[in-house]
Amino acid sequence: MTLAAETHGFLSPTGVEIVFLLTGLVTLGAAVITVTTRQLVHAALWLVVALGGLAVEYLLLTAEFVAWVQVLIYVGSVVVLLLFGLMLTRAPIGRSPDADSGNRWVALGVAGAAAVLLVTLVVDAFRTQWIDLDEPKGTTDLLGASVFRHWVLPFEALSVLLLAALVGAIVLSRKDGGSAAEDAAESSGATGAADAAGAADDGGEG
């Protein structure tokens, strides 16, 4: 990054900056629709638009490797996995009232506070700096050197956090399945005992 030039300002944006702003607005709109729609398939499709918009933003910032990772991993894997999950679990395709939650205002407040905090931090950190788009900033060698030299500990902390979330999800799902299986076993045992008692009564009467 270089310091802001005297001939460059917010009132004289370049073509790349205009496209970046428009793409950001489209991405923001798609993200809002993703979390507000009550149709799960529509939410997944709008999520594709939001993640694709982020990939375009990375391309405009000359971060080609990050953009392709965004497309291959998030659009090509996560969204496809979500759609396969909807298909295999036979989730409702149409409008579902269960897709809404009573904590909408709490979630909106948390999202707004996080957005304000993030924008404040970014603006304060990069207020007088501009990205030189003539030189690539997101190549594999530069990204690898930055991640494994300056961001090793946050990277590993994030991986441990994701692993803990995965283990917690497995524990919760197995706990629910176990309780359901126990309830089914108890009900079947009670039914079997009742049938045996009925058969004994019939035998005694005979």
Coordinates of all heavy atoms in Angstrom, one line a residue, residues 29-119:
G29 N -26.8 -6.8 -0.5 CA -28.3 -7.1 -0.7 C -28.5 -8.6 -0.7 O -29.5 -9.1 -0.1
A30 N -27.6 -9.3 -1.4 CA -27.8 -10.8 -1.4 C -27.6 -11.4 0.0 O -28.4 -12.3 0.3 CB -26.8 -11.4 -2.4
A31 N -26.7 -10.9 0.8 CA -26.5 -11.4 2.1 C -27.8 -11.1 3.0 O -28.2 -12.0 3.8 CB -25.3 -10.8 2.8
V32 N -28.4 -9.9 2.9 CA -29.6 -9.6 3.6 C -30.7 -10.5 3.2 O -31.5 -11.0 4.1 CB -29.9 -8.1 3.4 CG1 -31.3 -7.8 4.1 CG2 -28.9 -7.2 4.0
I33 N -30.9 -10.8 2.0 CA -32.0 -11.6 1.5 C -31.7 -13.1 2.0 O -32.7 -13.8 2.3 CB -32.1 -11.6 0.0 CG1 -32.5 -10.2 -0.5 CG2 -33.1 -12.6 -0.5 CD1 -32.5 -10.1 -2.0
T34 N -30.4 -13.5 2.1 CA -30.1 -14.8 2.5 C -30.6 -15.1 3.9 O -31.1 -16.1 4.2 CB -28.6 -15.1 2.5 OG1 -28.2 -14.9 1.1 CG2 -28.2 -16.5 2.9
V35 N -30.4 -14.1 4.8 CA -30.8 -14.3 6.2 C -32.2 -13.9 6.5 O -32.7 -14.1 7.7 CB -29.8 -13.5 7.1 CG1 -28.4 -14.0 7.0 CG2 -29.9 -12.0 6.9
T36 N -33.0 -13.3 5.6 CA -34.3 -12.9 5.8 C -35.4 -13.8 5.1 O -36.5 -13.8 5.5 CB -34.5 -11.4 5.4 OG1 -34.1 -11.3 4.0 CG2 -33.7 -10.5 6.3
T37 N -35.0 -14.5 4.0 CA -36.0 -15.3 3.3 C -36.4 -16.5 4.2 O -35.6 -17.0 5.0 CB -35.4 -15.7 2.0 OG1 -36.4 -16.5 1.3 CG2 -34.2 -16.6 2.2
R38 N -37.6 -17.0 3.9 CA -38.1 -18.2 4.7 C -38.0 -19.4 3.8 O -38.6 -20.5 4.2 CB -39.5 -17.9 5.2 CG -39.6 -16.8 6.2 CD -41.0 -16.7 6.8 NE -41.0 -15.7 7.8 CZ -42.1 -15.4 8.6 NH1 -43.2 -16.1 8.4 NH2 -42.1 -14.5 9.5
Q39 N -37.5 -19.3 2.6 CA -37.3 -20.5 1.8 C -35.9 -20.9 1.8 O -35.0 -20.1 1.4 CB -37.8 -20.2 0.4 CG -39.3 -19.9 0.3 CD -39.8 -19.9 -1.1 OE1 -39.2 -20.4 -2.0 NE2 -41.0 -19.3 -1.3
L40 N -35.6 -22.1 2.2 CA -34.2 -22.6 2.4 C -33.4 -22.6 1.1 O -32.3 -22.3 1.0 CB -34.2 -23.9 3.1 CG -34.8 -24.0 4.5 CD1 -34.7 -25.4 5.1 CD2 -34.1 -23.0 5.4
V41 N -34.1 -23.1 0.0 CA -33.4 -23.2 -1.3 C -33.1 -21.8 -1.8 O -32.0 -21.6 -2.3 CB -34.3 -24.0 -2.3 CG1 -33.6 -24.0 -3.6 CG2 -34.5 -25.4 -1.8
H42 N -34.0 -20.9 -1.6 CA -33.7 -19.5 -2.1 C -32.6 -18.9 -1.2 O -31.7 -18.2 -1.8 CB -35.0 -18.6 -1.9 CG -36.0 -19.0 -2.9 ND1 -37.2 -18.3 -2.9 CD2 -36.1 -19.9 -3.9 CE1 -38.0 -18.8 -3.9 NE2 -37.3 -19.8 -4.5
A43 N -32.5 -19.2 0.1 CA -31.4 -18.7 0.9 C -30.1 -19.3 0.4 O -29.1 -18.6 0.3 CB -31.7 -19.1 2.3
A44 N -30.1 -20.6 0.0 CA -28.8 -21.1 -0.5 C -28.4 -20.5 -1.8 O -27.2 -20.2 -2.0 CB -29.0 -22.7 -0.7
L45 N -29.3 -20.2 -2.7 CA -29.0 -19.6 -4.0 C -28.5 -18.2 -3.8 O -27.6 -17.7 -4.4 CB -30.2 -19.7 -4.9 CG -30.7 -21.1 -5.3 CD1 -31.9 -21.0 -6.2 CD2 -29.6 -21.8 -6.0
W46 N -29.2 -17.4 -2.9 CA -28.7 -16.1 -2.6 C -27.4 -16.1 -1.9 O -26.6 -15.1 -2.1 CB -29.8 -15.3 -1.8 CG -30.9 -14.8 -2.6 CD1 -32.2 -15.2 -2.6 CD2 -30.9 -13.7 -3.6 NE1 -32.9 -14.5 -3.5 CE2 -32.2 -13.6 -4.1 CE3 -29.9 -12.9 -4.1 CZ2 -32.5 -12.6 -5.1 CZ3 -30.2 -11.9 -5.0 CH2 -31.5 -11.8 -5.5
L47 N -27.1 -17.1 -1.2 CA -25.8 -17.2 -0.6 C -24.7 -17.4 -1.7 O -23.6 -16.9 -1.5 CB -25.7 -18.4 0.4 CG -24.4 -18.7 1.1 CD1 -24.0 -17.5 2.0 CD2 -24.5 -19.9 2.0
V48 N -25.0 -18.1 -2.7 CA -24.1 -18.3 -3.9 C -23.8 -16.9 -4.4 O -22.7 -16.5 -4.8 CB -24.7 -19.2 -4.9 CG1 -23.9 -19.2 -6.2 CG2 -24.8 -20.6 -4.4
V49 N -24.8 -16.0 -4.6 CA -24.6 -14.7 -5.1 C -23.7 -13.9 -4.2 O -22.8 -13.2 -4.7 CB -26.0 -14.0 -5.3 CG1 -25.8 -12.6 -5.8 CG2 -26.9 -14.8 -6.3
A50 N -24.0 -14.0 -2.9 CA -23.2 -13.2 -1.9 C -21.7 -13.6 -2.0 O -20.8 -12.8 -2.0 CB -23.7 -13.3 -0.5
L51 N -21.5 -14.9 -2.0 CA -20.1 -15.4 -2.0 C -19.4 -15.2 -3.3 O -18.2 -14.9 -3.4 CB -20.1 -16.9 -1.7 CG -20.6 -17.4 -0.3 CD1 -20.6 -18.9 -0.2 CD2 -19.7 -16.7 0.8
G52 N -20.2 -15.2 -4.4 CA -19.6 -14.9 -5.7 C -19.3 -13.4 -5.8 O -18.3 -13.0 -6.4
G53 N -20.1 -12.5 -5.2 CA -19.7 -11.1 -5.1 C -18.4 -10.9 -4.4 O -17.6 -10.0 -4.7
L54 N -18.2 -11.6 -3.3 CA -17.0 -11.5 -2.6 C -15.8 -11.9 -3.4 O -14.7 -11.3 -3.4 CB -17.0 -12.3 -1.3 CG -17.9 -11.8 -0.2 CD1 -17.9 -12.8 1.0 CD2 -17.5 -10.4 0.3
A55 N -16.0 -13.0 -4.2 CA -14.9 -13.4 -5.1 C -14.6 -12.3 -6.1 O -13.4 -12.1 -6.5 CB -15.3 -14.7 -5.8
V56 N -15.6 -11.6 -6.7 CA -15.4 -10.5 -7.6 C -14.6 -9.4 -6.9 O -13.7 -8.8 -7.5 CB -16.7 -10.0 -8.2 CG1 -16.5 -8.8 -9.0 CG2 -17.4 -11.1 -9.0
E57 N -14.9 -9.1 -5.7 CA -14.2 -8.1 -4.9 C -12.7 -8.4 -4.8 O -11.9 -7.6 -4.9 CB -14.8 -7.9 -3.5 CG -16.3 -7.5 -3.5 CD -16.5 -6.1 -3.8 OE1 -16.0 -5.5 -4.8 OE2 -17.2 -5.4 -3.0
Y58 N -12.5 -9.7 -4.5 CA -11.1 -10.1 -4.4 C -10.3 -10.0 -5.7 O -9.2 -9.6 -5.8 CB -11.0 -11.6 -3.9 CG -11.4 -11.8 -2.5 CD1 -12.2 -12.8 -2.1 CD2 -10.9 -10.9 -1.5 CE1 -12.6 -13.0 -0.8 CE2 -11.3 -11.1 -0.2 CZ -12.1 -12.1 0.2 OH -12.5 -12.3 1.5
L59 N -11.0 -10.3 -6.8 CA -10.4 -10.1 -8.1 C -10.1 -8.6 -8.4 O -9.1 -8.3 -9.0 CB -11.3 -10.7 -9.2 CG -11.4 -12.2 -9.4 CD1 -12.4 -12.5 -10.5 CD2 -10.0 -12.7 -9.8
L60 N -11.0 -7.8 -8.0 CA -10.8 -6.3 -8.2 C -9.6 -5.8 -7.4 O -8.9 -4.8 -7.7 CB -12.0 -5.5 -7.9 CG -13.2 -5.8 -8.8 CD1 -14.4 -5.0 -8.3 CD2 -12.9 -5.3 -10.2
L61 N -9.3 -6.5 -6.3 CA -8.2 -6.2 -5.4 C -6.9 -6.9 -5.8 O -5.9 -6.9 -5.0 CB -8.5 -6.4 -4.0 CG -9.6 -5.6 -3.4 CD1 -9.9 -6.0 -1.9 CD2 -9.2 -4.1 -3.4
T62 N -6.9 -7.5 -7.0 CA -5.7 -8.3 -7.5 C -5.3 -9.4 -6.6 O -4.2 -9.8 -6.5 CB -4.5 -7.4 -7.8 OG1 -4.0 -6.9 -6.5 CG2 -4.9 -6.2 -8.7
A63 N -6.3 -10.0 -6.0 CA -6.1 -11.2 -5.1 C -6.7 -12.4 -5.8 O -7.7 -12.9 -5.4 CB -6.6 -11.0 -3.7
E64 N -6.1 -12.9 -6.9 CA -6.7 -13.9 -7.7 C -6.7 -15.2 -7.0 O -7.8 -16.0 -7.1 CB -5.9 -14.1 -9.0 CG -5.9 -12.9 -10.0 CD -4.9 -11.9 -9.7 OE1 -4.1 -12.1 -8.7 OE2 -4.8 -10.8 -10.3
F65 N -5.7 -15.6 -6.2 CA -5.7 -16.8 -5.5 C -6.8 -16.9 -4.5 O -7.5 -17.9 -4.4 CB -4.4 -17.1 -4.9 CG -4.3 -18.3 -4.0 CD1 -4.2 -19.6 -4.7 CD2 -4.3 -18.3 -2.7 CE1 -4.1 -20.7 -3.9 CE2 -4.2 -19.4 -1.9 CZ -4.1 -20.6 -2.5
V66 N -7.0 -15.8 -3.7 CA -8.1 -15.8 -2.7 C -9.4 -15.9 -3.4 O -10.4 -16.5 -2.9 CB -8.0 -14.5 -1.9 CG1 -9.0 -14.5 -0.8 CG2 -6.6 -14.5 -1.2
A67 N -9.6 -15.2 -4.6 CA -10.9 -15.3 -5.3 C -11.2 -16.7 -5.7 O -12.3 -17.1 -5.6 CB -10.8 -14.3 -6.5
W68 N -10.2 -17.4 -6.3 CA -10.5 -18.8 -6.7 C -10.7 -19.7 -5.5 O -11.5 -20.6 -5.6 CB -9.4 -19.3 -7.6 CG -9.3 -18.6 -8.9 CD1 -8.3 -17.9 -9.5 CD2 -10.4 -18.7 -9.9 NE1 -8.7 -17.4 -10.7 CE2 -9.9 -17.9 -11.0 CE3 -11.6 -19.3 -10.0 CZ2 -10.7 -17.8 -12.2 CZ3 -12.4 -19.1 -11.1 CH2 -11.9 -18.4 -12.2
V69 N -10.1 -19.5 -4.4 CA -10.3 -20.3 -3.2 C -11.8 -20.0 -2.8 O -12.5 -20.9 -2.3 CB -9.3 -19.9 -2.1 CG1 -9.8 -20.5 -0.8 CG2 -8.0 -20.5 -2.5
Q70 N -12.2 -18.8 -2.8 CA -13.6 -18.4 -2.5 C -14.6 -19.2 -3.3 O -15.6 -19.7 -2.8 CB -13.8 -16.9 -2.6 CG -15.2 -16.4 -2.4 CD -15.5 -16.2 -0.9 OE1 -14.5 -16.3 -0.1 NE2 -16.7 -16.0 -0.6
V71 N -14.3 -19.2 -4.6 CA -15.2 -19.9 -5.5 C -15.2 -21.4 -5.3 O -16.2 -22.1 -5.2 CB -14.9 -19.5 -7.0 CG1 -15.7 -20.4 -8.0 CG2 -15.1 -18.1 -7.2
L72 N -14.0 -22.0 -5.3 CA -13.9 -23.5 -5.2 C -14.4 -24.0 -3.9 O -15.1 -25.0 -3.9 CB -12.4 -23.9 -5.5 CG -11.9 -23.6 -6.9 CD1 -10.4 -24.0 -6.9 CD2 -12.7 -24.4 -7.9
I73 N -14.0 -23.4 -2.8 CA -14.3 -23.9 -1.5 C -15.7 -23.5 -1.0 O -16.5 -24.4 -0.7 CB -13.3 -23.5 -0.4 CG1 -11.9 -24.1 -0.8 CG2 -13.7 -23.9 1.0 CD1 -10.8 -23.7 0.2
Y74 N -16.0 -22.2 -1.0 CA -17.3 -21.8 -0.5 C -18.4 -22.0 -1.5 O -19.5 -22.6 -1.1 CB -17.2 -20.3 -0.1 CG -16.4 -20.1 1.1 CD1 -15.0 -19.8 1.0 CD2 -16.9 -20.3 2.4 CE1 -14.2 -19.6 2.2 CE2 -16.1 -20.1 3.5 CZ -14.8 -19.7 3.4 OH -14.0 -19.6 4.5
V75 N -18.3 -21.5 -2.7 CA -19.4 -21.7 -3.6 C -19.5 -23.1 -4.1 O -20.6 -23.7 -4.2 CB -19.2 -20.7 -4.8 CG1 -20.3 -20.9 -5.9 CG2 -19.2 -19.3 -4.3
G76 N -18.3 -23.7 -4.4 CA -18.3 -25.1 -5.0 C -18.5 -26.2 -4.0 O -18.8 -27.3 -4.4
S77 N -18.2 -26.0 -2.7 CA -18.3 -27.0 -1.7 C -19.3 -26.8 -0.6 O -20.2 -27.6 -0.4 CB -16.9 -27.2 -1.1 OG -15.9 -27.6 -2.1
V78 N -19.2 -25.6 0.0 CA -20.1 -25.4 1.1 C -21.6 -25.3 0.7 O -22.5 -25.9 1.3 CB -19.7 -24.1 1.9 CG1 -20.7 -23.8 3.0 CG2 -18.3 -24.3 2.5
V79 N -21.8 -24.5 -0.4 CA -23.2 -24.4 -0.8 C -23.8 -25.7 -1.4 O -24.9 -26.1 -1.2 CB -23.3 -23.2 -1.8 CG1 -24.7 -23.1 -2.4 CG2 -22.9 -21.9 -1.2
V80 N -22.9 -26.4 -2.1 CA -23.3 -27.7 -2.7 C -23.6 -28.7 -1.5 O -24.6 -29.4 -1.6 CB -22.3 -28.3 -3.6 CG1 -22.6 -29.7 -4.0 CG2 -22.2 -27.4 -4.9
L81 N -22.8 -28.7 -0.5 CA -23.1 -29.5 0.7 C -24.4 -29.1 1.4 O -25.1 -30.0 1.8 CB -21.9 -29.4 1.7 CG -22.0 -30.2 3.0 CD1 -22.0 -31.7 2.6 CD2 -20.8 -29.9 3.9
L82 N -24.7 -27.8 1.4 CA -25.9 -27.4 2.0 C -27.1 -27.9 1.2 O -28.1 -28.4 1.7 CB -25.9 -25.8 2.1 CG -27.2 -25.2 2.6 CD1 -27.5 -25.7 4.0 CD2 -27.1 -23.7 2.6
L83 N -27.0 -27.8 -0.1 CA -28.1 -28.2 -1.0 C -28.3 -29.7 -0.9 O -29.4 -30.2 -0.9 CB -27.8 -27.8 -2.4 CG -27.9 -26.3 -2.7 CD1 -27.5 -26.0 -4.2 CD2 -29.3 -25.8 -2.4
F84 N -27.2 -30.5 -0.8 CA -27.3 -31.9 -0.6 C -27.9 -32.3 0.7 O -28.7 -33.3 0.9 CB -25.9 -32.6 -0.8 CG -25.6 -33.0 -2.2 CD1 -24.9 -32.2 -3.0 CD2 -26.1 -34.2 -2.7 CE1 -24.6 -32.6 -4.3 CE2 -25.8 -34.6 -4.0 CZ -25.1 -33.8 -4.8
G85 N -27.6 -31.5 1.8 CA -28.2 -31.7 3.1 C -29.7 -31.5 3.0 O -30.4 -32.3 3.6
L86 N -30.1 -30.5 2.3 CA -31.6 -30.2 2.2 C -32.2 -31.4 1.4 O -33.4 -31.8 1.8 CB -31.8 -28.9 1.4 CG -31.4 -27.6 2.2 CD1 -31.6 -26.4 1.3 CD2 -32.1 -27.4 3.5
M87 N -31.5 -31.9 0.4 CA -32.1 -33.0 -0.4 C -32.2 -34.3 0.4 O -33.2 -34.9 0.4 CB -31.3 -33.2 -1.6 CG -31.8 -34.3 -2.5 SD -30.7 -34.6 -4.0 CE -29.2 -35.2 -3.1
L88 N -31.1 -34.6 1.1 CA -31.1 -35.9 1.8 C -32.0 -35.9 3.1 O -32.5 -36.9 3.5 CB -29.6 -36.2 2.2 CG -28.7 -36.5 1.0 CD1 -27.3 -36.7 1.5 CD2 -29.2 -37.6 0.2
T89 N -32.1 -34.8 3.7 CA -33.0 -34.7 4.9 C -34.4 -34.4 4.6 O -35.2 -34.3 5.5 CB -32.5 -33.6 5.9 OG1 -32.4 -32.3 5.2 CG2 -31.1 -33.9 6.4
R90 N -34.7 -34.2 3.3 CA -36.1 -34.0 2.9 C -36.7 -32.7 3.6 O -37.8 -32.8 4.0 CB -37.0 -35.2 3.1 CG -36.6 -36.4 2.2 CD -37.5 -37.6 2.4 NE -37.1 -38.7 1.6 CZ -37.7 -39.9 1.6 NH1 -38.8 -40.1 2.4 NH2 -37.3 -40.9 0.9
A91 N -35.9 -31.7 3.7 CA -36.3 -30.5 4.3 C -37.4 -29.8 3.4 O -37.4 -30.0 2.2 CB -35.2 -29.5 4.5
P92 N -38.3 -29.0 3.9 CA -39.3 -28.4 3.1 C -38.7 -27.4 2.1 O -37.8 -26.6 2.5 CB -40.2 -27.6 4.1 CG -39.3 -27.5 5.3 CD -38.4 -28.7 5.4
I93 N -39.1 -27.5 0.8 CA -38.6 -26.7 -0.2 C -39.2 -25.3 -0.3 O -38.6 -24.3 -0.5 CB -38.7 -27.4 -1.6 CG1 -38.0 -28.8 -1.5 CG2 -38.1 -26.6 -2.7 CD1 -36.5 -28.7 -1.3
G94 N -40.5 -25.3 0.0 CA -41.2 -24.0 -0.2 C -41.1 -23.1 1.1 O -40.1 -23.3 1.9
R95 N -42.0 -22.2 1.2 CA -42.0 -21.3 2.3 C -42.2 -22.0 3.6 O -43.2 -22.7 3.8 CB -43.1 -20.2 2.1 CG -43.0 -19.1 3.1 CD -44.1 -18.0 2.7 NE -44.1 -16.9 3.6 CZ -43.3 -15.9 3.5 NH1 -42.5 -15.8 2.5 NH2 -43.3 -14.9 4.4
S96 N -41.3 -21.8 4.6 CA -41.4 -22.5 5.8 C -41.4 -21.5 7.0 O -40.5 -20.7 7.2 CB -40.2 -23.4 6.0 OG -40.2 -24.1 7.3
P97 N -42.5 -21.6 7.8 CA -42.6 -20.6 9.0 C -41.6 -21.0 10.0 O -41.2 -20.1 10.9 CB -44.0 -20.8 9.5 CG -44.4 -22.2 9.0 CD -43.7 -22.4 7.7
D98 N -41.1 -22.2 10.0 CA -40.1 -22.6 11.0 C -38.7 -22.0 10.8 O -37.8 -22.1 11.6 CB -40.0 -24.1 11.1 CG -41.3 -24.8 11.5 OD1 -42.0 -24.1 12.2 OD2 -41.5 -25.9 11.2
A99 N -38.5 -21.4 9.6 CA -37.2 -20.9 9.2 C -36.9 -19.6 9.9 O -35.8 -19.0 9.9 CB -37.1 -20.7 7.7
D100 N -38.0 -19.0 10.6 CA -37.8 -17.7 11.2 C -37.6 -18.0 12.7 O -38.0 -19.0 13.3 CB -39.0 -16.8 11.0 CG -38.8 -15.4 11.4 OD1 -37.6 -15.1 11.7 OD2 -39.7 -14.6 11.3
S101 N -37.0 -17.0 13.4 CA -36.8 -17.2 14.8 C -37.3 -15.9 15.6 O -37.4 -14.8 15.0 CB -35.3 -17.3 15.1 OG -35.0 -17.3 16.5
G102 N -37.6 -16.1 16.8 CA -38.1 -15.0 17.6 C -37.0 -14.1 18.1 O -37.3 -13.0 18.6
N103 N -35.7 -14.4 17.8 CA -34.6 -13.6 18.2 C -34.1 -12.7 17.0 O -32.9 -12.4 17.0 CB -33.5 -14.5 18.7 CG -33.8 -15.3 19.9 OD1 -34.6 -14.9 20.8 ND2 -33.4 -16.5 20.0
R104 N -35.0 -12.4 16.1 CA -34.6 -11.6 15.0 C -34.0 -10.3 15.4 O -33.0 -9.8 14.8 CB -35.8 -11.4 14.0 CG -35.5 -10.4 12.9 CD -36.7 -10.2 12.0 NE -37.0 -11.4 11.3 CZ -38.0 -11.5 10.3 NH1 -38.7 -10.4 10.1 NH2 -38.2 -12.6 9.7
W105 N -34.6 -9.6 16.3 CA -34.1 -8.2 16.7 C -32.8 -8.3 17.4 O -32.0 -7.4 17.3 CB -35.2 -7.5 17.5 CG -36.4 -7.2 16.8 CD1 -37.7 -7.8 16.9 CD2 -36.6 -6.3 15.7 NE1 -38.6 -7.3 16.0 CE2 -37.9 -6.4 15.3 CE3 -35.7 -5.4 15.1 CZ2 -38.4 -5.6 14.2 CZ3 -36.2 -4.6 14.0 CH2 -37.6 -4.7 13.6
V106 N -32.6 -9.4 18.2 CA -31.4 -9.5 18.9 C -30.3 -9.8 17.9 O -29.2 -9.2 18.0 CB -31.4 -10.7 19.9 CG1 -30.1 -11.0 20.5 CG2 -32.5 -10.4 21.0
A107 N -30.6 -10.7 16.9 CA -29.6 -10.9 15.8 C -29.3 -9.7 15.0 O -28.1 -9.4 14.7 CB -30.1 -12.1 14.9
L108 N -30.3 -8.9 14.8 CA -30.1 -7.7 14.0 C -29.2 -6.7 14.8 O -28.3 -6.0 14.2 CB -31.5 -7.0 13.7 CG -31.4 -5.7 12.8 CD1 -30.8 -6.0 11.5 CD2 -32.8 -5.2 12.7
G109 N -29.5 -6.6 16.1 CA -28.6 -5.7 16.9 C -27.2 -6.1 16.9 O -26.2 -5.3 16.8
V110 N -27.0 -7.4 17.1 CA -25.6 -8.0 17.1 C -24.9 -7.8 15.8 O -23.7 -7.4 15.7 CB -25.6 -9.5 17.5 CG1 -24.2 -10.1 17.4 CG2 -26.1 -9.6 18.9
A111 N -25.6 -8.0 14.7 CA -25.0 -7.8 13.4 C -24.7 -6.4 13.1 O -23.6 -6.0 12.6 CB -26.0 -8.4 12.3
G112 N -25.6 -5.5 13.5 CA -25.3 -4.0 13.3 C -24.1 -3.5 14.1 O -23.3 -2.8 13.6
A113 N -24.1 -4.0 15.4 CA -22.9 -3.6 16.2 C -21.6 -4.2 15.7 O -20.6 -3.5 15.6 CB -23.1 -4.1 17.7
A114 N -21.6 -5.4 15.2 CA -20.4 -6.0 14.6 C -20.0 -5.2 13.3 O -18.8 -5.0 13.1 CB -20.6 -7.5 14.3
A115 N -21.0 -4.9 12.5 CA -20.7 -4.1 11.3 C -20.1 -2.7 11.6 O -19.1 -2.3 11.0 CB -22.0 -4.0 10.4
V116 N -20.7 -2.0 12.5 CA -20.2 -0.7 12.9 C -18.7 -0.8 13.5 O -17.9 -0.1 13.1 CB -21.1 -0.1 13.9 CG1 -20.4 1.2 14.5 CG2 -22.4 0.3 13.3
L117 N -18.5 -1.9 14.3 CA -17.2 -2.1 14.9 C -16.2 -2.4 13.8 O -15.0 -1.8 13.7 CB -17.2 -3.2 15.9 CG -15.9 -3.5 16.6 CD1 -15.3 -2.3 17.3 CD2 -16.0 -4.7 17.5
L118 N -16.5 -3.3 12.8 CA -15.6 -3.7 11.7 C -15.3 -2.5 10.8 O -14.1 -2.2 10.5 CB -16.2 -4.8 10.9 CG -15.4 -5.3 9.8 CD1 -14.1 -5.9 10.3 CD2 -16.2 -6.4 9.0
V119 N -16.3 -1.7 10.5 CA -16.1 -0.6 9.6 C -15.2 0.5 10.3 O -14.3 1.1 9.7 CB -17.5 0.1 9.2 CG1 -17.2 1.4 8.5 CG2 -18.2 -0.9 8.2

